[in-house]
Amino acid sequence: MIVGIGTDLCDVRRIQATLERRGERFPERVLGPAELRVFQARRERTPARGVRFLATRFSAKEAFSKAIGLGIRSPMQWRACEILNEPSGKPFIRLHGELAAWFEARGLVAHVSVTDETDYASSFVVVETRPATPEAIP
């Protein structure tokens, strides 16, 4: 059963301006450890690609926070929610710490989609209850 849906549209130019204003503190505040490594690698190859990566992750975390109904308040924290990619490219959400425990205790699972163009990044998140496994059905 779907328990929440979140979407977000982010202006990449706004992320670029914030990055210029705040420097490395901005991505270090928003991105988890694995995301930060990907951001740095992408930005090193092509600066604009790094900014778009940061914008998609910012957008996806906003969408996730809306889908779970918390906004950006405890236990939802920027770095506790990472948007990573499977080898196939499919994005997925990895949670850490109190947020992971909160999410797991409710038996939830999340699905995420991200996209970006030159000026905008967009994300869509669906949170649902974890389907029962066949062993759990009496």
Side-chain angles (χ1 to χ4, degrees), residues 48-130:
R49 192 167 177 222
V51 174
R52 285 195 309 273
F53 177 84
L54 181 56
T56 59
R57 274 40 193 182
F58 186 91
S59 174
K61 292 173 190 211
E62 286 279 344
F64 178 76
S65 74
K66 293 170 186 176
I68 61 174
L70 293 177
I72 306 295
R73 64 179 176 81
S74 190
M76 175 59 195
Q77 298 173 356
W78 292 107
R79 293 178 50 83
C81 175
E82 290 190 290
I83 314 305
L84 303 170
N85 294 88
E86 294 179 2
S88 65
K90 178 184 174 187
F92 69 93
I93 297 175
R94 178 185 296 160
L95 304 176
H96 304 284
E98 290 179 38
L99 180 58
W102 180 90
F103 198 74
E104 185 64 31
R106 286 156 180 76
L108 302 175
V109 62
H111 309 279
V112 60
S113 179
V114 299
T115 190
D116 66 271
E117 277 298 326
T118 304
D119 294 334
Y120 297 98
S122 179
S123 300
F124 190 78
V125 174
V126 174
V127 174
E128 63 181 342
T129 53
R130 188 173 308 282

